[in-house]
Amino acid sequence: VNTAYAIVVMNQSDDLVQSDMTVLSIILGLKSLEAGSGAFQSAVIAEANSFETCDVMETVGQGQVQAIVTKDLVSRIMVETLLCPDLGKALQTLIGFESSELYLKKW
């Protein structure tokens, strides 16, 4: 953990409150590593279910944690692609699976 460039903490539970509390406890655990050795410098990206929890995670993380609400991110992308259809085409090209085949040939 001390040598990681970034750490991604994702929700594991279907219960929204419980999953946010689990992510928050992982962040607290990572911060305790910093207090113990002083060498923890990795960026932490944490998944949250609400904006209020995002604020708490970022406050606890003291500048090292970037919390995101993934459901909100998907909703924003959907709305933006409705407003600008070309954006949807560009995203489909970037993250789609069409034309991403890999052909191997023995030489």
Side-chain angles (χ1 to χ4, degrees):
V1 174
N2 289 340
T3 60
Y5 178 76
I7 299 169
V8 179
V9 184
M10 299 182 70
N11 287 330
Q12 300 292 321
S13 174
D14 291 334
D15 181 15
L16 301 179
V17 174
Q18 180 61 40
S19 62
D20 280 355
M21 292 305 111
T22 302
V23 171
L24 189 57
S25 67
I26 291 170
I27 293 170
L28 287 169
L30 291 170
K31 293 304 287 182
S32 71
L33 290 175
E34 179 183 40
S37 64
F40 180 72
Q41 297 296 321
S42 302
V44 178
I45 296 102
E47 179 182 15
N49 288 311
S50 69
F51 290 108
E52 294 81 13
T53 310
C54 278
D55 293 339
V56 172
M57 289 178 184
E58 290 175 355
T59 301
V60 168
Q62 298 172 342
Q64 278 183 285
V65 175
Q66 176 65 48
I68 58 170
V69 179
T70 53
K71 291 175 181 70
D72 182 60
L73 182 65
V74 172
S75 300
R76 286 183 185 185
I77 290 173
M78 289 175 61
V79 169
E80 289 295 329
T81 56
L82 286 172
L83 295 174
C84 182
D86 291 334
L87 176 64
K89 291 176 187 175
L91 287 173
Q92 186 176 10
T93 301
L94 288 172
I95 61 176
F97 293 105
E98 191 172 319
S99 300
S100 63
E101 295 87 9
L102 176 65
Y103 299 100
L104 301 174
K105 182 177 180 182
K106 194 171 187 176
W107 293 92

